[in-house]
Structures are given as C-alpha cells and as structure tokens.
Amino acid sequence: MRFFHTADLHLAKPFGRFDADTQAALRTARLDALRRLGDAARAGKAEFILIAGDTFDAEAPPSKVVRRALDVMGDYPDLQWILMPGNHDSLAAVDLWERIERDKPENVILALTPEVIEIGDHVAILPAPPSVRNPGVDLTDWMTDALTSKRFRIGLAHGGILDFGSEEGTVAVIRPDRAELSNLDYLALGDWHGQKSITPRTWYSGSPEADSFKGHAEAGALLVEITAPGDVPQVTPVPIGQFDWRLLALDFFAGTDPVQQLTEALPASDRDKTIVRFEATGRLGLLEQSQLRDTCKQIADDFHYFEAIFDRLGIEQAVDDLDLIATGGALRAAADSLFEATDLQGRTAEDVQIAQIALTHLFHISQQEPSQ
C-alpha cells in the first residue's frame, strides 16, 4: 500500500516581507505545488494523497485560490485527496469548509470529524481535525479505540509533539508514541514545516514549498509504502519545492577577501529560483566593506530575491582608510568625527554601531564614480 503524505501548503500566504513580484511568485509556487504533488504521486504509484492540515493560510482565503486548488485536485481523478483542517484553516472556518464540501470534485475526501474514513477495502484513515487554531488537548486520543478490522491504520493529525514543539507556537500536546500506543501503521503529521521523523511510524512531511530561512530539510513530500498491516513503513522523501531559500551567515575579519568568501558560499546555478538572506558579521576595513557592498549590488539581480544585512559588521579601524574618503576639508572632518565616534569608550554599543554604519556609508559613497 502506497500513499503520499504532505501538509502545510499555506495557499494564499501573503509573504509580506518581500517585494510585490516575489510575493506573487511565491504564492503561485505554492499553488503549483499541488500539481507537482499530483504528478509525483502518480509517478510513485500512490493510491491517495494525505494533506495533514493548513492547506490554506487563513480561515478566509481568496475565493479564487480555493477554486483553483479544487480544480487542480480534480485534474487527478485517479488519485484520492484527503484534506484535513489545520491550525490556520481549522474547523472554526465554517464558511471555508462548507464551500469546499459544496464545490469539491468527487476524488476529494474531507476529514472533518474524528471518525474512521475507509479507503477501498484495505485502508482506514483516522483523522484528528483541529476544532480551533489551538485546541490545547491531544485530539489523537480517540485513535486508540477506533475499530478498523484488519485494515491498514493511518493516523492523520496536525500540531506539535510533546518534547518537540510546534511550528506555530501553539501548545504541543500530541504524544510522541501515539502511533505505537494506538496501533497505527503510520501517523501523518502537519504543523512543522520541515520533514522530520519522530519515530519510524510517525513523520512530519514538512511543507512541499519552503517558506522561511529556518534551514529545514529540502522541501517536498513523503512517499510512504507499507507491505502489510503491522510492518514498519518505508518512507521516501520526494523533492517538490521550486524555490531554494538560503540563509548565509558569514563572519569576516580584516586581511581576508570578503568578496571571494561570499562568492564561494553562494550557489553557482539556479539563481533565479534562489532566495538569499545574507548576514555579515565580524570586522572589515572600510575598503573591504565597500567592495563587499558593491559585489552584493552587482549580483542581487542574479537571484530571485537577495537581501544583504550589514548591521552587525564592524569596522576594522585603520586611519589610512580615511585618506581614501578625503585628505582634508569638510568631508575629512566628517570622517574623522565618525571615526572617533566608533570608539566604545564613553559610548553605548548602539551609538557606536550607528557611527560605524554612517562611516561605512560615507566611505562607500566617496568611492562611487561621479556618474553613479
């Protein structure tokens, strides 16, 4: 018996921190992930796809997004899609689930109550749909006493595991040994956005499309194969995501080549599908900082999104660097004043950081060609 396990698509997620073009591309990628899931499930000869909550990012997603999601699922009539509410689209979203119930294609099954859902003559799905965003109790308790005859027992839940936590900051209440305690062949979980095995029978699938710089495993879904009831599942991660999110936290020190260090850390290919947050720490001379900033400006358009943060990059104090700004006049006086203000003695760390940033900008501007 084979099926696909996914969760946390968060369709219509706003991605408010990004520019409008990036927001639109990321929202489109999440909707496209449904089609990639269907294609991958077909290729893996899966019988059905479990979505363990948070298909939608909010209780009232745009009507057009709901329609398009259902249309994509309907394009795979040979697959059954089992949808369960999560934290973001809990059962409190009455209008949403009534709309889905009314408009869904025949191959979509809604898991809206803690009751056994029979798939064919050999599979039993045991869902634990969240009634509200943070139920505060372990909704999987009922699975222990659920009667399923000799079928495969597949649990479906959304939330944090005790001693592990929750992606959304809600109370983590699901027992880590739920699958073993309730005689489940597999427990499909949603909420944590990275793929993670809790036990050989209990997995978070993670989101099929990355949505943060948290360093989760490669975004995708899980192909689960179980030979017979009671056997340990064979779980295979299947990459699904379009975008590669990279957090580059690089520490610099004077005397090294910061441009080379950054270049070696960046991906050489598929940059148009890469989202980069570059955080610089350590200390560099003014000239090195200027070269690093220029490089970031030059390569930014190679990537779908590139953000460089220099707030924590200190200045390696060298008076000679000030001569590159100016050797005299008002500009040099300003540089000397800022340089003096970068000394911690008698100043707060915040004031020193402001002075460092200002001096770095002054140096950088002074090195630009007049036409720039």
Side-chain angles (χ1 to χ4, degrees):
M1 189 268 291
R2 289 179 154 202
F3 62 92
F4 246 55
H5 167 201
T6 188
D8 299 290
L9 281 93
H10 287 275
L11 299 179
K13 186 179 179 73
F15 294 104
R17 64 182 295 174
F18 298 106
D19 59 87
D21 288 344
T22 302
Q23 290 174 11
L26 294 177
R27 287 195 294 267
T28 299
R30 304 192 83 74
L31 192 57
D32 290 345
L34 276 175
R35 195 169 298 280
R36 297 195 301 276
L37 284 165
D39 291 341
R42 276 179 174 171
K45 296 181 170 54
E47 298 179 37
F48 54 89
I49 298 175
L50 294 179
I51 302 183
D54 284 356
T55 302
F56 301 96
D57 188 64
E59 294 184 353
S63 179
K64 185 180 295 184
V65 172
V66 178
R67 177 71 269 164
R68 288 178 178 173
L70 294 177
D71 286 346
V72 171
M73 296 178 201
D75 288 341
Y76 296 84
D78 51 320
L79 290 170
Q80 289 184 302
W81 302 70
I82 294 88
L83 271 64
M84 188 189 72
N87 292 332
H88 283 246
D89 54 7
S90 73
L91 287 170
V94 176
D95 290 345
L96 171 63
W97 292 106
E98 286 182 350
R99 156 79 187 277
I100 295 174
E101 179 68 60
R102 182 180 68 248
D103 296 344
K104 70 179 182 65
E106 291 184 1
N107 62 322
V108 171
I109 298 172
L110 301 187
L112 305 182
T113 58
E115 299 176 333
V116 175
I117 298 173
E118 296 181 351
I119 306 295
D121 58 3
H122 62 299
V123 177
I125 307 297
L126 284 61
S131 54
V132 292
R133 186 181 182 95
N134 186 9
V137 296
D138 187 355
L139 299 175
T140 65
D141 276 342
W142 79 276
M143 297 178 184
T144 301
D145 297 326
L147 301 178
T148 57
S149 185
K150 296 182 179 181
R151 296 171 180 264
F152 290 98
R153 290 168 61 89
I154 310 299
L156 185 62
H158 188 97
I161 289 281
L162 284 172
D163 303 323
F164 176 64
S166 167
E167 182 85 18
E168 305 295 341
T170 54
V171 178
V173 295
I174 301 173
R175 291 183 56 130
D177 60 349
R178 171 57 62 199
E180 292 73 18
L181 184 67
S182 299
N183 195 31
L184 303 177
D185 294 292
Y186 184 84
L187 177 56
L189 294 174
D191 180 58
W192 192 253
H193 290 190
Q195 290 179 357
K196 186 173 181 64
S197 172
I198 303 300
T199 74
R201 298 184 184 276
T202 302
W203 282 73
Y204 284 100
S205 66
S207 174
E209 186 69 49
D211 59 4
S212 74
F213 296 104
K214 291 186 177 180
H216 291 316
E218 184 176 7
L222 300 175
L223 176 61
V224 182
E225 181 175 2
I226 311 175
T227 303
D231 288 353
V232 176
Q234 178 181 330
V235 181
T236 305
V238 179
I240 296 292
Q242 287 188 52
F243 286 95
D244 180 13
W245 293 55
R246 298 284 185 99
L247 174 61
L248 299 182
L250 301 182
D251 193 45
F252 299 97
F253 58 92
T256 60
D257 185 345
V259 173
Q260 180 180 357
Q261 190 173 342
L262 173 61
T263 302
E264 290 176 350
L266 289 169
S269 60
D270 296 326
R271 290 187 167 190
D272 61 324
K273 291 295 185 181
T274 304
I275 296 173
V276 178
R277 179 184 173 93
F278 164 49
E279 298 178 354
T281 58
R283 303 180 73 84
L284 287 174
L286 291 174
L287 180 59
E288 294 165 322
Q289 288 210 26
S290 182
Q291 292 169 339
L292 184 59
R293 288 171 182 270
D294 280 340
T295 298
C296 289
K297 184 176 180 180
Q298 292 165 7
I299 67 174
D301 288 344
D302 293 345
F303 297 89
H304 195 90
Y305 179 85
F306 186 95
E307 177 183 12
I309 301 173
F310 296 99
D311 293 354
R312 295 170 57 208
L313 181 62
I315 297 174
E316 183 69 22
Q317 297 183 353
V319 177
D320 291 346
D321 283 344
L322 302 185
D323 292 336
L324 297 175
I325 297 176
T327 56
L331 192 59
R332 177 53 184 260
D336 287 336
S337 178
L338 288 171
F339 182 75
E340 182 181 350
T342 62
D343 187 349
L344 264 173
Q345 187 172 357
R347 298 177 178 84
T348 66
E350 182 180 4
D351 287 341
V352 169
Q353 184 184 54
I354 292 172
Q356 289 178 338
I357 293 171
L359 182 58
T360 301
H361 281 303
L362 179 62
F363 182 91
H364 188 66
I365 291 170
S366 73
Q367 302 304 298
Q368 304 301 305
E369 296 294 333
S371 60
Q372 294 177 305

